Amino acid sequence: MFWLVEQETREILFISSAFETIWQRPRTSAMKDMASLWQSTILPEDWTHVEAIYAALPKNNFEVTYRIRRPDGSIRWIRDRGFPVYNNQGEAYRIAGTGEDITEQKQAEVLLQLMNQDLERRVQERTNELEHSQYQLRQRELEFRTLVEHSPDIITRRDRSLRFLYVNPAIEKLGLPCSAYIGKTLEEIGVASEECRRCHTAARQAMESGKPQISYSKATSATGVAYFQTLLVPEFDQAGSVSSVLTVMRDVSSLKQAEEAVRRNEERFRRVFEDSPLGMGIATMSGHFLMVNERLCQIVGYSCAELLPLTFWDITHPEDYYKEFEILQQAMQTDEKIMSLEKRFIRKDKQVIWVRITVSLVHNEAGELLHQIGMIEDISDRKQAEVELRASLQDKEILLKEIHHRVKNNLQTVSSLLNLQASYIEDAEILAPFTESQNRVEAMALLHERLYQSDSLAKVNFSDYIRKLSLNLIQSYEFRDRSVGLEFDVADIEMEIDTAIPCGLIVNELVSNALKHAFPQGRTGKIRVSLTHTDARCILSIADNGIGIPEDVTFYNTDSLGLQLVSGFANKLQGEVNLDRSEGSKVTISFKIPQSP
């Protein structure tokens, strides 16, 4: 495309038809509008640069590159070359130039630039890889050298004549410096002939077979005789022939010592196993014997040869199969290593004996069960003694029940005598002490009755006892036709007889006192009996909503025998007594329950 522009006004004077081909736009009929059309097609980010070139009123040839947008949205690269046109006076009055579509060239340049950049990247990556590989190689060589030079194992290389080509510093533990070995054989160094023969034989085998060999030897060092395990590895040249042999000698003296210690421990275990005063057996998890000692043979009456083909189940009483199997399964599920049980064995002579067996389950490092070790003690004599003791204890329990029964009967006889004597007394004031004494005797008789009927001869269910005692008192004072009710809030507590007797008598006195004095002249009301406990402490309370205990009456200053008894029994229990008169009267006794030895 050719164009001509006025120098001063920048008005386009001429533009060739190639504009329409390159720009894909028609030329305007008025050339003065072409400048606006041309400017509108240039990309805004390029216009600033183009405008600066033309604004400078160029006096010399120039070149400018910019991008335009066609009507279809495509972008094309344009390169303008311009030069000033001079008049007869030598003044530049016009600018002429050409416009060329260089899009393909630009795309090729960009592609070439990308290819160059990609090539440079690949070259740089390859260079980095090579540098990294060389660095890693140097590091590995350094690590290998460091490993070899500082290895506690003796590392050497010998040629086909068995002369040393290389030795690491660890060889100096044998007493000679490294330089003493290079270029020499073991004979030339002065190693014992027997050790030379053994080492040469292993080295020759490695060279001839082309396979690694292992040999064992000993050497004398500054610390004494050391034992070595030597690995000999043949090394091959490019032709595939063995050129040298690499040896790694490891000091296994500690391993030898450990093996000796294991042997001594095995011998010690065997002596303990054989000489144990308890029967001992080692068996598989299915019960098959692996080892038995003489004491176990004596317990079951078999010889060792007779017992080894048998299993634990063969000598176990059939009724004890399930018990032992259940305990064994539980131990396996809970990872218990030791379990103990008592069971019966059947001796060779068919005699049944009782044994106590302690079984230890042995696992390997992976946690798998290997076998079981059983220690068996004959407890037949003890079992017989237990049977005799239980029989004796049963006789004593029967005797003690009979004692409680007779004490109860005697107390009821006393109560009947008091009741008979009271039937001849008409004076109410004289009759009252008889009734109270009778109630106290009945309270103790009821306690012995409960003990006689209880499974335990030392403790009584105190909650049942309180309920029965309180209901008996209601009947004794003939309150059945009056509206005096009983309420209970009693925890289920068992008490020993030494605690139950004073507690029962306290309940007897306080309930009796409420029945006699709290509801005069036919008044109605309620009596509440409460017994609670926390840990090892009990709280016993008797409350009523009657007229209440007078203000001048206390447990420590009273003529009432009943209240004096309450105070005395509370002291015997080492308890604390509290009297609350806010609503009727409420007596609370707090005391500790003695712990059974």
Side-chain angles (χ1 to χ4, degrees), residues 167-386:
V167 295
N168 72 336
I171 203 169
E172 294 182 352
K173 68 176 67 174
L174 299 180
L176 294 176
C178 295
S179 58
Y181 293 88
I182 304 301
K184 298 179 181 179
T185 65
L186 288 175
E187 293 90 340
E188 293 171 346
I189 295 170
V191 176
S193 58
E194 179 63 24
E195 295 302 320
C196 286
R197 185 188 63 78
R198 188 179 294 109
C199 292
H200 284 177
T201 299
R204 290 298 179 193
Q205 289 177 348
M207 289 182 179
E208 292 173 2
S209 66
K211 297 179 180 179
Q213 303 292 322
I214 295 178
S215 69
Y216 296 89
S217 60
K218 63 179 180 179
T220 303
S221 65
T223 58
V225 177
Y227 294 87
F228 291 92
Q229 179 190 65
T230 304
L231 172 66
L232 300 98
V233 180
E235 296 180 309
F236 300 88
D237 58 19
Q238 293 182 351
S241 301
V242 176
S243 59
S244 59
V245 61
L246 181 69
T247 63
V248 180
M249 297 176 61
R250 174 161 296 178
D251 189 341
V252 293
S253 302
S254 58
L255 180 60
K256 283 282 188 181
Q257 295 171 357
E259 290 176 350
E260 180 62 23
V262 170
R263 187 192 63 77
R264 290 196 300 268
N265 287 338
E266 288 179 349
E267 181 62 27
R268 189 179 299 115
F269 169 76
R270 183 172 294 277
R271 288 199 302 269
V272 170
F273 184 84
E274 293 295 341
D275 300 338
S276 172
L278 297 176
M280 295 188 68
I282 302 177
T284 64
M285 295 310 299
S286 61
H288 290 83
F289 286 111
L290 300 174
M291 289 178 62
V292 294
N293 70 349
E294 182 61 28
R295 177 55 184 155
L296 178 58
C297 294
Q298 293 172 0
I299 291 174
V300 296
Y302 290 91
S303 67
C304 180
E306 293 171 332
L307 191 56
L308 281 176
L310 303 179
T311 68
F312 265 121
W313 309 109
D314 293 330
I315 60 175
T316 298
H317 194 284
E319 294 180 2
D320 293 342
Y321 283 169
Y322 179 76
K323 177 173 66 174
E324 181 172 5
F325 180 78
E326 187 178 40
I327 293 176
L328 181 61
Q329 289 297 314
Q330 181 179 358
M332 293 170 62
Q333 292 173 2
T334 58
D335 292 332
E336 293 183 15
K337 295 184 178 180
I338 298 177
M339 63 177 186
S340 182
L341 73 153
E342 295 179 358
K343 69 173 189 176
R344 289 165 291 180
F345 274 168
I346 301 177
R347 287 171 49 89
K348 181 180 178 181
D349 58 9
K350 306 304 179 183
Q351 178 186 352
V352 177
I353 60 172
W354 277 95
V355 297
R356 178 177 181 81
I357 178 169
T358 301
V359 179
S360 175
L361 302 180
V362 181
H363 300 73
N364 60 14
E365 294 181 354
E368 300 170 340
L369 281 171
L370 295 179
H371 51 260
Q372 49 184 324
I373 301 176
M375 291 181 290
I376 299 94
E377 178 186 4
D378 187 347
I379 59 170
S380 300
D381 293 341
R382 194 194 76 188
K383 278 290 184 179
Q384 181 62 33
E386 288 179 358

Side-chain angles (χ1 to χ4, degrees), residues 557-576:
N557 181 20
T558 179
D559 294 332
S560 170
L561 175 61
L563 295 182
Q564 291 178 11
L565 289 175
V566 171
S567 178
F569 291 139
N571 289 334
K572 183 176 181 181
L573 295 171
Q574 297 181 351
E576 300 176 358

Side-chain angles (χ1 to χ4, degrees), residues 417-431:
L417 291 173
L418 290 173
N419 187 45
L420 181 61
Q421 184 65 43
S423 65
Y424 292 98
I425 300 173
E426 297 180 357
D427 190 335
E429 293 184 1
I430 299 175
L431 180 61

Side-chain angles (χ1 to χ4, degrees), residues 54-55 87 100 118 122 124 141 234 244 338-339 348 383 397 406 410 427 471 518 525 531 536 546 550 565:
Y54 284 100
N87 56 19
E100 179 184 3
D118 183 63
R122 291 184 181 184
Q124 185 62 42
E141 289 177 352
S244 59
I338 298 177
M339 63 177 186
K348 181 180 178 181
K383 278 290 184 179
E397 288 179 351
R406 293 191 179 189
N410 291 338
D427 190 335
L471 292 173
L531 178 64
L565 289 175

